[in-house]
Amino acid sequence: MTEFGFIEQIAARFAALPANGFEGIGDDCAVLPIGNREALLFTTDLLTEGVHFLRAATSARELGRKSLAVNLSDVAAMGGRPVATLLSLSLPVDTTDDWAVEFMEGYRELSERFGVALVGGDTTRSDSSIVINVTAIGRAETSHIKRRSDARAGDTIFVSGELGASGAGLADLLAGRYDTPLAAIHRNPQPQVAEGLWLGTRPEVHAMMDLSDGLASDIRHLLERSHCGAELDTERIPCAAGADLRQAVCGGEDYKLLLTADAAHSEQLAADYRARFGAPLYAVGRITDGGGLVWRENGRPIAPSWHGFRHFD
Ligand code: ADP
Ligand code: MG
């Protein structure tokens, strides 16, 4: 069974159980309205040695930062403010004290940068690989929450940064080139927390998610949940220096935001974003009524053979 097939099975099997006020499975975070126009957001991510990282290619400090960063990105993707995390670690017996201290230091650095408390977790021994699980909790005004399911036909599709650097960095790592600038970008994702919060306040932003698996794969989740189609213009996709279009579209782990906004206000949104963050929002296409996902090159439909991101496996 594929990862997404499994998630669908879970959603179906548990659908009849009480939701206790939560919105259902399927977005970057689970949402629990708590009254007073506020909601809590919950998200969790697992990093497994050999699948998500190679111990020899990633310092413990970088891994500490990254394991937190990918969760903060999911909170940002809903327009929320991350407030706390729970950290669970399964460490092989041969893990050195130095490794553990460096890991915690990286985790602490990023927690401090984003004002996030560490409020719990679990620590166990592992027979083989390192396994890291982080749960992040965020808060948001209910009216600021952005979901994957709210894209509307006619919306402009934006990405909030250049794509492909992480994928190109992964290619470097897999080729044994650990010291390149792109490999460093892959190991040090920067969650767009301030950007997500700001976009949350903008009513013309309809749908939002973060780009963890690559645009080609992630846009499909947004379209499925919004019951829409899309046209993406390949020549407008912002490829990071050193990355090619395939890496920009399929590379994964860029942790930029993917959003859709009312076309009538999208130029103003991009101008305000640039004034606020000194960086562009890149318009890469538009949401359509149906017709699935169409890739275009200079206006002409093309049929690329793009596949989603698969980490190391
Ligand atoms: P993301 O890439 O944003 O972390 P995923 O693609 O991992 O999201 O997951 C998609 C959705 O499926 C999310 O809403 C997530 O909470 C849910 N999900 C994934 N795995 C499980 C699981 N084992 N049990 C329940 N829900 C899950
Ligand atoms: Mg996500």
Side-chain angles (χ1 to χ4, degrees):
M1 200 186 300
T2 65
E3 176 189 341
F4 294 112
F6 183 65
I7 295 171
E8 272 171 29
Q9 283 248 351
I10 288 175
R13 272 167 201 268
F14 286 76
L17 271 62
N20 297 337
F22 278 87
E23 290 179 14
I25 288 176
D27 221 313
D28 291 284
C29 295
V31 177
L32 178 68
I34 53 170
N36 213 13
R37 297 195 301 275
E38 244 209 320
L40 294 178
L41 305 171
F42 299 85
T43 181
T44 192
D45 258 306
L46 197 60
L47 276 80
T48 307
E49 184 178 357
V51 179
H52 301 98
F53 65 93
L54 303 173
R55 214 186 308 184
T58 311
S59 75
R61 187 176 285 243
E62 286 170 329
L63 199 57
R65 287 196 296 255
K66 181 168 181 173
S67 55
L68 176 57
V70 301
N71 282 277
L72 299 185
S73 178
D74 275 325
V75 175
M78 304 284 298
R81 177 188 300 285
V83 293
T85 65
L86 300 151
L87 167 65
S88 296
L89 289 171
S90 197
L91 298 176
V93 273
D94 63 351
T95 314
T96 62
D97 287 357
D98 272 359
W99 193 96
V101 167
E102 279 292 300
F103 177 90
M104 283 316 309
E105 199 40 46
Y107 196 95
R108 194 199 61 78
E109 271 173 24
L110 207 67
S111 299
E112 185 173 36
R113 169 139 46 111
F114 290 103
V116 178
L118 175 59
V119 297
D122 196 17
T123 310
T124 67
R125 200 165 58 84
S126 151
D127 281 342
S128 51
S129 50
I130 298 174
V131 181
I132 304 157
N133 173 233
V134 175
T135 299
I137 303 166
R139 301 176 77 132
E141 276 186 37
T142 47
S143 62
H144 292 177
I145 294 175
K146 304 298 181 190
R147 297 170 179 80
R148 298 179 180 187
S149 50
D150 289 334
R152 296 177 210 167
D155 279 1
T156 305
I157 303 171
F158 287 106
V159 295
S160 66
E162 294 180 342
L163 306 178
S166 182
L170 176 60
D172 280 352
L173 288 178
L174 292 175
R177 298 187 296 269
Y178 296 169
D179 295 330
T180 69
L182 290 167
I185 289 173
H186 176 79
R187 291 191 303 257
N188 292 279
Q190 305 294 322
Q192 295 191 305
V193 174
E195 292 86 342
L197 264 174
W198 184 86
L199 289 163
T201 67
R202 301 290 299 224
E204 66 270 48
V205 175
H206 292 159
M208 187 155 69
M209 65 183 297
D210 69 336
L211 286 164
S212 55
D213 291 347
L215 179 61
S217 168
D218 288 327
I219 184 87
R220 289 192 175 280
H221 300 307
L222 188 142
L223 297 179
E224 271 164 29
R225 292 191 62 81
S226 293
H227 308 290
C228 290
E231 294 174 345
L232 289 173
D233 305 318
T234 50
E235 73 280 4
R236 297 168 81 185
I237 289 171
C239 293
D244 59 26
L245 181 62
R246 177 179 290 268
Q247 286 161 335
V249 167
C250 308
E253 298 209 60
D254 281 312
Y255 296 104
K256 305 297 188 233
L257 300 168
L258 169 66
L259 53 133
T260 82
D262 187 335
H265 301 283
S266 60
E267 274 182 33
Q268 189 62 50
L269 177 75
D272 292 351
Y273 183 93
R274 186 187 278 278
R276 173 73 180 76
F277 296 105
L281 277 180
Y282 298 91
V284 296
R286 65 214 71 79
I287 297 290
T288 56
D289 250 336
L293 176 60
V294 177
W295 294 89
R296 290 177 181 269
E297 192 178 270
N298 300 315
R300 205 170 34 87
I302 56 168
S305 58
W306 283 326
H307 301 289
F309 177 54
R310 295 192 55 82
H311 299 288
F312 290 100
D313 51 347

